[in-house]
Each structure stands twice: as structure tokens, then as C-alpha cells.
Amino acid sequence: MMNVKKTDLVGVLLIEPDRFGDHRGFFAEAYNQRLYVGLGIHANFVQDNHSLSASVGTLRGLHFQVSPHAQAKLVRCGRGAIFDVAVDIRRGSPTYGQWTGCKLSAANGVQMFIPAGFAHGFVTLQPDSEIVYKCSDYYAPETEGALRWDDPTIGIIWPLQGDPILSSKDVVAPSLVDLDSPFIFEG
Ligand SMILES: Cc1cn([C@H]2C[C@H](O)[C@@H](COP(=O)(O)OP(=O)(O)O[C@H]3O[C@H](C)C(=O)[C@H](O)[C@H]3O)O2)c(=O)[nH]c1=O
């Protein structure tokens, strides 16, 4: 039976699918709608994303899409290792502005489920790390939002040696205090 853990942020889950090993390696079901609905993950995933980051210390995020294209995500690391982070940006949430993080790697097979209403980002821990993740809505750049990775009011403890490698977009992302978050906590 796969291992499922709750995190400090209600709704953000860590899932470790069973791996069936033999002399060739292993087999695992990386996603099974019936099983995941049973975990309370009712997201209807419509798009799979895949990114490769060549260098250790590459940081992508913190990103989100707003309504009507808010995305829930199911993230896993297919090669290498990352430190994956979710931040609660739902106004009125008891955990607003709080974060949770976990090492996801090809070796540990752990997945993070991040509901809509959370910003998502990660930093790579190994070279040539690849993530693959399911999204519950399509890419809609006009609805994209971002938060500073090093926002002191969020205080994410990134496992970084030195400065991260960032996209030009992420270099200028706003802080939470400057974000008029469109997400409202609905209990
Ligand atoms: C997200 C996305 C991007 N693109 C294109 C747009 C750009 O030409 C190129 C790179 O996009 P971007 O720099 O936004 O990629 P990341 O920095 O990895 O962004 C992602 O990083 C964090 C971790 C996320 O959770 C989001 O899915 C996403 O924001 O891919 C697409 O064509 N479709 C898409 O769904």
C-alpha cells in the first residue's frame, strides 16, 4: 500500500507509490486516478509538464496561475533530486504565507500534491534534474503569478550553496506583502 503523509499545510500531501523491484529494476504506478481520488485528490489533471534543470541550485518559482485557470499539481522528480516547496497564498487561511518543503528524487519516488491556491517552486539538488508534474488546468500565461523565492515574510529555508540560478522573471517576482492574492480560503 502506498505511503501517504499530510504536511503542515492542509491539503498538501506527500505520496510514495509502491515500487515493485526485481532483478531488472522496479515498476511503479506513478498515478492511478481511482487510488488518488481515494486519497481525496479529485483534481482532473489535463496537462503533464516536464522540465530539465542542468545545474545544481537552479530555482524555479514560486509560481501559480489564478482563476479561471488555477492549477493543482502532482509533482515528482524523474531524474536527480529537488527540494520542492508549496506556499499557502489563500487569504484568510490559518496557514497563509506558510510553506512546506520536501526532497523529491528519482531515488525516493516521493510525490507532492499541491492544491490550487498554493504557490509552487523547487531548487535542484543534483545536476540534470528533471521534474514531471500533472496540472489540473491548461497553461494560461495571462493568469500566471509569481512570488519572490527569498521573501523574508515566508522564510523558506532553501538547501542552497550560494545564489540560485533564476529566470529573469523570477529575479523580479514580488513579495507576499505586495501580492493582492486572488485566492480566498474556503475552509
Ligand atoms: C509553465 C509553462 C511554460 N511554458 C513555456 C513558456 C516559456 O516559453 C517556457 C518556460 O516557462 P517558465 O520559465 O515559466 O518555466 P518554469 O520557470 O519552469 O515555470 C514553472 O515553474 C514552476 C515550478 C511551476 O510550478 C509552474 O508550472 C511553472 O511556472 O515554457 C509552456 O509552454 N507551458 C507551460 O505550462
Side-chain angles (χ1 to χ4, degrees):
M1 182 59 188
M2 65 182 160
N3 185 20
V4 183
K5 285 184 192 160
K6 294 181 179 177
T7 67
D8 293 341
L9 302 183
V10 174
V12 178
L13 297 173
L14 297 172
I15 302 141
E16 188 179 356
D18 290 333
R19 285 187 170 183
F20 303 97
D22 63 23
H23 63 286
R24 301 165 298 173
F26 76 83
F27 177 91
E29 292 183 1
Y31 175 68
N32 176 310
Q33 188 174 64
R34 188 170 49 223
L35 279 179
Y36 282 58
V37 165
L39 300 176
I41 297 175
H42 298 279
N44 174 37
F45 296 115
V46 296
Q47 178 176 312
D48 279 11
N49 291 343
H50 175 190
S51 71
L52 162 70
S53 301
S55 305
V56 172
T58 301
L59 197 156
R60 296 177 184 249
L62 298 154
H63 302 157
F64 56 91
Q65 289 191 174
V66 300
S67 176
H69 299 291
Q71 294 172 315
K73 294 168 188 165
L74 180 65
V75 186
R76 64 189 177 90
C77 179
R79 179 160 64 131
I82 65 166
F83 183 73
D84 209 39
V85 172
V87 180
D88 187 353
I89 54 173
R90 300 165 301 167
R91 284 186 289 142
S93 168
T95 55
Y96 181 77
Q98 293 183 30
W99 66 279
T100 188
C102 181
K103 179 179 177 181
L104 311 184
S105 69
N108 72 19
V110 173
Q111 303 171 352
M112 186 183 284
F113 174 69
I114 303 161
F118 291 76
H120 174 235
F122 66 87
V123 69
T124 57
L125 304 174
Q126 291 177 17
D128 296 327
S129 289
E130 297 186 54
I131 80 164
V132 283
Y133 53 108
K134 293 184 163 312
C135 300
S136 66
D137 209 312
Y138 298 104
Y139 178 51
E142 72 282 2
T143 71
E144 278 192 307
L147 270 183
R148 266 180 61 180
W149 63 279
D150 60 346
D151 184 332
T153 62
I154 301 172
I156 298 168
I157 302 169
W158 296 101
L160 266 172
Q161 312 290 333
D163 295 334
I165 296 166
L166 299 169
S167 68
S168 52
K169 173 175 78 173
D170 291 344
V171 169
V172 296
S175 298
L176 189 62
V177 290
D178 299 324
L179 177 77
D180 181 16
S181 175
F183 293 103
I184 308 291
F185 179 67
E186 292 168 358

